[in-house]
CSV table of all heavy atoms in Angstrom, one decimal:
chain,number,residue,atom,x,y,z
A,1,GLY,N,139.5,87.4,79.0
A,1,GLY,CA,138.2,87.9,79.6
A,1,GLY,C,138.1,87.5,81.1
A,1,GLY,O,137.7,88.3,81.9
A,2,VAL,N,138.4,86.3,81.4
A,2,VAL,CA,138.3,85.8,82.8
A,2,VAL,C,139.3,86.6,83.7
A,2,VAL,O,138.9,87.0,84.8
A,2,VAL,CB,138.7,84.3,82.9
A,2,VAL,CG1,138.8,83.9,84.3
A,2,VAL,CG2,137.6,83.5,82.2
A,3,ALA,N,140.5,86.9,83.2
A,3,ALA,CA,141.5,87.6,84.0
A,3,ALA,C,141.0,89.0,84.3
A,3,ALA,O,141.1,89.5,85.5
A,3,ALA,CB,142.8,87.7,83.2
A,4,TYR,N,140.4,89.7,83.3
A,4,TYR,CA,139.9,91.1,83.6
A,4,TYR,C,138.6,91.0,84.4
A,4,TYR,O,138.4,92.0,85.1
A,4,TYR,CB,139.7,91.8,82.2
A,4,TYR,CG,141.0,92.4,81.7
A,4,TYR,CD1,141.7,91.8,80.7
A,4,TYR,CD2,141.5,93.6,82.2
A,4,TYR,CE1,142.8,92.3,80.1
A,4,TYR,CE2,142.7,94.1,81.7
A,4,TYR,CZ,143.4,93.5,80.7
A,4,TYR,OH,144.5,94.0,80.2
A,5,LEU,N,137.9,90.0,84.3
A,5,LEU,CA,136.6,89.9,85.0
A,5,LEU,C,136.9,89.7,86.5
A,5,LEU,O,136.3,90.4,87.4
A,5,LEU,CB,135.8,88.7,84.5
A,5,LEU,CG,134.5,88.5,85.2
A,5,LEU,CD1,133.5,89.6,84.9
A,5,LEU,CD2,133.8,87.2,84.8
A,6,ILE,N,137.9,88.9,86.9
A,6,ILE,CA,138.2,88.6,88.3
A,6,ILE,C,139.4,89.4,88.8
A,6,ILE,O,139.7,89.3,90.0
A,6,ILE,CB,138.4,87.1,88.6
A,6,ILE,CG1,139.6,86.6,87.9
A,6,ILE,CG2,137.1,86.3,88.1
A,6,ILE,CD1,139.9,85.1,88.1
A,7,GLY,N,140.1,90.1,87.9
A,7,GLY,CA,141.3,90.9,88.4
A,7,GLY,C,142.4,90.0,88.7
A,7,GLY,O,143.1,90.2,89.7
A,8,GLU,N,142.7,89.0,87.9
A,8,GLU,CA,143.9,88.1,88.1
A,8,GLU,C,145.0,88.4,87.2
A,8,GLU,O,144.9,88.2,86.0
A,8,GLU,CB,143.4,86.6,88.0
A,8,GLU,CG,144.5,85.6,88.4
A,8,GLU,CD,144.0,84.2,88.4
A,8,GLU,OE1,143.8,83.7,87.3
A,8,GLU,OE2,143.7,83.7,89.5
A,9,GLY,N,146.0,89.1,87.7
A,9,GLY,CA,147.2,89.5,86.8
A,9,GLY,C,147.0,90.9,86.2
A,9,GLY,O,147.9,91.4,85.7
A,10,VAL,N,145.8,91.4,86.3
A,10,VAL,CA,145.5,92.7,85.8
A,10,VAL,C,144.4,93.3,86.7
A,10,VAL,O,143.8,92.6,87.5
A,10,VAL,CB,144.9,92.7,84.3
A,10,VAL,CG1,146.0,92.4,83.3
A,10,VAL,CG2,143.8,91.7,84.2
A,11,ALA,N,144.2,94.6,86.6
A,11,ALA,CA,143.2,95.3,87.4
A,11,ALA,C,141.8,94.8,86.8
A,11,ALA,O,141.6,94.7,85.6
A,11,ALA,CB,143.3,96.8,87.3
A,12,LYS,N,140.8,94.7,87.7
A,12,LYS,CA,139.5,94.3,87.3
A,12,LYS,C,139.0,95.4,86.3
A,12,LYS,O,139.1,96.6,86.5
A,12,LYS,CB,138.5,94.2,88.4
A,12,LYS,CG,138.5,92.9,89.2
A,12,LYS,CD,137.4,92.9,90.2
A,12,LYS,CE,137.4,91.6,91.0
A,12,LYS,NZ,136.3,91.6,92.0
A,13,ASP,N,138.3,94.9,85.2
A,13,ASP,CA,137.8,95.9,84.3
A,13,ASP,C,136.7,95.2,83.5
A,13,ASP,O,137.0,94.4,82.6
A,13,ASP,CB,138.9,96.4,83.3
A,13,ASP,CG,138.4,97.6,82.5
A,13,ASP,OD1,137.3,97.6,82.0
A,13,ASP,OD2,139.3,98.5,82.2
A,14,LEU,N,135.4,95.4,83.9
A,14,LEU,CA,134.3,94.7,83.2
A,14,LEU,C,134.2,95.0,81.7
A,14,LEU,O,133.9,94.1,80.9
A,14,LEU,CB,133.0,95.1,83.9
A,14,LEU,CG,131.7,94.4,83.4
A,14,LEU,CD1,131.8,92.9,83.6
A,14,LEU,CD2,130.5,95.0,84.1
A,15,LYS,N,134.5,96.3,81.4
A,15,LYS,CA,134.4,96.6,80.0
A,15,LYS,C,135.4,95.9,79.1
A,15,LYS,O,135.1,95.3,78.0
A,15,LYS,CB,134.6,98.1,79.8
A,15,LYS,CG,134.5,98.6,78.4
A,15,LYS,CD,134.6,100.1,78.3
A,15,LYS,CE,134.5,100.6,76.8
A,15,LYS,NZ,134.6,102.1,76.7
A,16,VAL,N,136.7,95.8,79.6
A,16,VAL,CA,137.7,95.1,78.9
A,16,VAL,C,137.4,93.6,78.8
A,16,VAL,O,137.6,92.9,77.8
A,16,VAL,CB,139.1,95.3,79.5
A,16,VAL,CG1,140.2,94.5,78.8
A,16,VAL,CG2,139.5,96.8,79.4
A,17,ALA,N,136.9,93.1,80.0
A,17,ALA,CA,136.6,91.7,80.0
A,17,ALA,C,135.5,91.4,79.0
A,17,ALA,O,135.5,90.4,78.3
A,17,ALA,CB,136.1,91.3,81.4
A,18,THR,N,134.5,92.3,78.9
A,18,THR,CA,133.4,92.1,78.0
A,18,THR,C,133.9,92.1,76.5
A,18,THR,O,133.5,91.2,75.7
A,18,THR,CB,132.4,93.2,78.1
A,18,THR,OG1,131.8,93.2,79.5
A,18,THR,CG2,131.2,93.0,77.2
A,19,ASN,N,134.8,92.9,76.2
A,19,ASN,CA,135.4,93.0,74.9
A,19,ASN,C,136.1,91.7,74.5
A,19,ASN,O,136.0,91.2,73.4
A,19,ASN,CB,136.4,94.1,74.7
A,19,ASN,CG,135.7,95.5,74.8
A,19,ASN,OD1,134.5,95.6,74.5
A,19,ASN,ND2,136.4,96.5,75.1
A,20,TRP,N,136.9,91.1,75.5
A,20,TRP,CA,137.6,89.9,75.2
A,20,TRP,C,136.6,88.7,75.1
A,20,TRP,O,136.7,87.9,74.2
A,20,TRP,CB,138.6,89.5,76.3
A,20,TRP,CG,139.9,90.3,76.2
A,20,TRP,CD1,140.4,91.2,77.0
A,20,TRP,CD2,140.9,90.1,75.1
A,20,TRP,NE1,141.6,91.7,76.5
A,20,TRP,CE2,141.9,91.0,75.4
A,20,TRP,CE3,140.9,89.3,74.0
A,20,TRP,CZ2,143.1,91.1,74.6
A,20,TRP,CZ3,142.1,89.4,73.2
A,20,TRP,CH2,143.1,90.3,73.5
A,21,PHE,N,135.6,88.7,75.9
A,21,PHE,CA,134.6,87.6,75.8
A,21,PHE,C,133.8,87.7,74.5
A,21,PHE,O,133.5,86.7,73.9
A,21,PHE,CB,133.6,87.7,77.0
A,21,PHE,CG,134.1,87.2,78.3
A,21,PHE,CD1,133.8,87.9,79.5
A,21,PHE,CD2,134.8,86.1,78.4
A,21,PHE,CE1,134.3,87.5,80.7
A,21,PHE,CE2,135.3,85.6,79.6
A,21,PHE,CZ,135.0,86.3,80.8
A,22,TYR,N,133.6,89.0,74.0
A,22,TYR,CA,132.9,89.1,72.8
A,22,TYR,C,133.7,88.5,71.6
A,22,TYR,O,133.1,87.8,70.7
A,22,TYR,CB,132.7,90.6,72.5
A,22,TYR,CG,132.0,90.9,71.2
A,22,TYR,CD1,130.6,90.7,71.0
A,22,TYR,CD2,132.7,91.2,70.0
A,22,TYR,CE1,130.0,90.9,69.8
A,22,TYR,CE2,132.1,91.4,68.8
A,22,TYR,CZ,130.7,91.3,68.7
A,22,TYR,OH,130.1,91.4,67.5
A,23,LEU,N,135.0,88.7,71.6
A,23,LEU,CA,135.8,88.1,70.5
A,23,LEU,C,135.7,86.6,70.6
A,23,LEU,O,135.5,86.0,69.5
A,23,LEU,CB,137.3,88.6,70.7
A,23,LEU,CG,137.6,90.0,70.4
A,23,LEU,CD1,139.1,90.3,70.8
A,23,LEU,CD2,137.4,90.3,69.0
A,24,ALA,N,135.9,86.0,71.7
A,24,ALA,CA,135.8,84.6,71.8
A,24,ALA,C,134.4,84.0,71.5
A,24,ALA,O,134.2,83.0,70.8
A,24,ALA,CB,136.3,84.1,73.2
A,25,ALA,N,133.4,84.7,72.0
A,25,ALA,CA,132.0,84.3,71.8
A,25,ALA,C,131.6,84.4,70.4
A,25,ALA,O,130.9,83.5,69.9
A,25,ALA,CB,131.1,85.2,72.7
A,26,SER,N,132.1,85.4,69.7
A,26,SER,CA,131.8,85.5,68.3
A,26,SER,C,132.4,84.4,67.4
A,26,SER,O,132.0,84.2,66.3
A,26,SER,CB,132.4,86.9,67.7
A,26,SER,OG,131.7,88.0,68.4
A,27,HIS,N,133.4,83.7,68.0
A,27,HIS,CA,134.0,82.6,67.3
A,27,HIS,C,133.4,81.2,67.8
A,27,HIS,O,134.0,80.2,67.6
A,27,HIS,CB,135.5,82.6,67.4
A,27,HIS,CG,136.2,83.6,66.6
A,27,HIS,ND1,136.5,84.9,67.1
A,27,HIS,CD2,136.6,83.6,65.3
A,27,HIS,CE1,137.1,85.6,66.1
A,27,HIS,NE2,137.1,84.9,65.0
A,28,GLY,N,132.3,81.3,68.6
A,28,GLY,CA,131.6,80.1,69.0
A,28,GLY,C,132.0,79.5,70.3
A,28,GLY,O,131.6,78.4,70.6
A,29,LYS,N,132.9,80.2,71.1
A,29,LYS,CA,133.3,79.7,72.4
A,29,LYS,C,132.1,79.8,73.3
A,29,LYS,O,131.7,80.9,73.8
A,29,LYS,CB,134.5,80.5,72.9
A,29,LYS,CG,135.0,80.2,74.3
A,29,LYS,CD,135.7,78.8,74.3
A,29,LYS,CE,136.2,78.5,75.7
A,29,LYS,NZ,136.8,77.2,75.8
């Protein structure tokens, strides 16, 4: 999520970042 949010190693993509954060957040991160 952080990588896609700031564009580190991949192109910035808020939607993809949100999806990754959702997976981690759903597990209590």
Side-chain angles (χ1 to χ4, degrees):
V2 172
Y4 279 101
L5 182 66
I6 65 178
E8 188 172 74
V10 288
K12 278 187 181 182
D13 191 321
L14 182 62
K15 183 177 179 181
V16 175
T18 300
N19 290 340
W20 279 113
F21 285 138
Y22 178 80
L23 288 174
S26 297
H27 287 93
K29 175 73 176 175

